[in-house]
Amino acid sequence: MILHLIRHPRPLIAPGVCYGQRDIEAENPAAAGERLRAVLPPEAPVFSSPLGRCLALARCLSAAPVTDARLMELNFGAWEGRPWDEIPRPELDAWAADLAGYAPPGGESPSQLEARVLAFVAGLRVPEAVLVTHAGVIRLLLARQRGLTLAESLAIDIPYASQTVIDWLG
């Protein structure tokens, strides 16, 4: 199955703020949609995170995108909306010590993110699909496909409003 992984356009939020599942609008989704429509398969179904920064772009790519909460970014819980440099150091250290298993207070762990994203992909019954989603989801799928660790996947650059294509076998 061919997956066209599309990251949402740049969110309209100050740099350095943890935003995870906060519903934030995106910068110029129409321009990104016009550019991406030219390279995406016209008949492939479009699935989207329900968050506005993804859904606005998905609606530029399809008249009827299907939303699914399993495509949302990691839930950072109490960290969301806070500048990264204001998050308590002991919490960040605990996360660094257990990247896959640590969940921020009130949030979810990357292992939980992985479970919901892989459940979504396992349920797809199409030869090709467009997923409008977030960097965390895209990195997770790339890590699984390439056999990378979570730590290794953090080095993958996923630009805003970019397309990453994978042949998903897993």
Side-chain angles (χ1 to χ4, degrees):
M1 173 173 45
I2 303 299
L3 297 179
H4 299 265
L5 307 173
I6 308 296
R7 185 178 184 192
H8 59 77
R10 181 178 308 282
L12 297 173
I13 191 169
V17 174
C18 176
Y19 54 91
Q21 290 189 1
R22 288 181 72 96
D23 204 1
I24 301 165
E25 290 184 36
E27 182 178 285
N28 205 353
E34 185 176 333
R35 180 178 49 77
L36 288 163
R37 266 195 318 275
V39 297
L40 291 171
E43 300 304 317
V46 175
F47 299 91
S48 177
S49 159
L51 295 177
R53 59 191 182 267
C54 290
L55 190 52
L57 175 55
R59 287 180 174 147
C60 294
L61 301 176
S62 169
V66 176
T67 61
D68 195 300
R70 294 174 294 179
L71 293 174
M72 291 172 68
E73 182 61 277
L74 183 77
N75 180 347
F76 286 96
W79 295 0
E80 294 202 10
R82 296 174 68 183
W84 283 102
D85 59 6
E86 291 180 13
I87 296 170
R89 186 80 234 168
E91 292 177 17
L92 291 173
D93 290 343
W95 188 28
D98 183 10
L99 279 178
Y102 181 81
E108 70 181 331
S109 70
S111 293
Q112 291 169 309
L113 169 68
E114 180 179 54
R116 67 176 161 84
V117 170
L118 293 180
F120 171 82
V121 173
L124 288 175
R125 299 288 180 254
V126 294
E128 196 163 18
V130 175
L131 309 184
V132 183
T133 188
H134 308 270
V137 173
I138 296 169
R139 282 188 186 103
L140 182 147
L141 291 169
L142 286 171
R144 286 291 277 205
Q145 186 212 33
R146 297 177 182 173
L148 303 174
T149 66
L150 177 59
E152 291 169 332
S153 75
L154 295 176
I156 300 171
D157 182 39
I158 311 289
Y160 292 112
S162 67
Q163 174 192 29
T164 303
V165 181
I166 63 173
D167 186 357
W168 184 258
L169 301 175

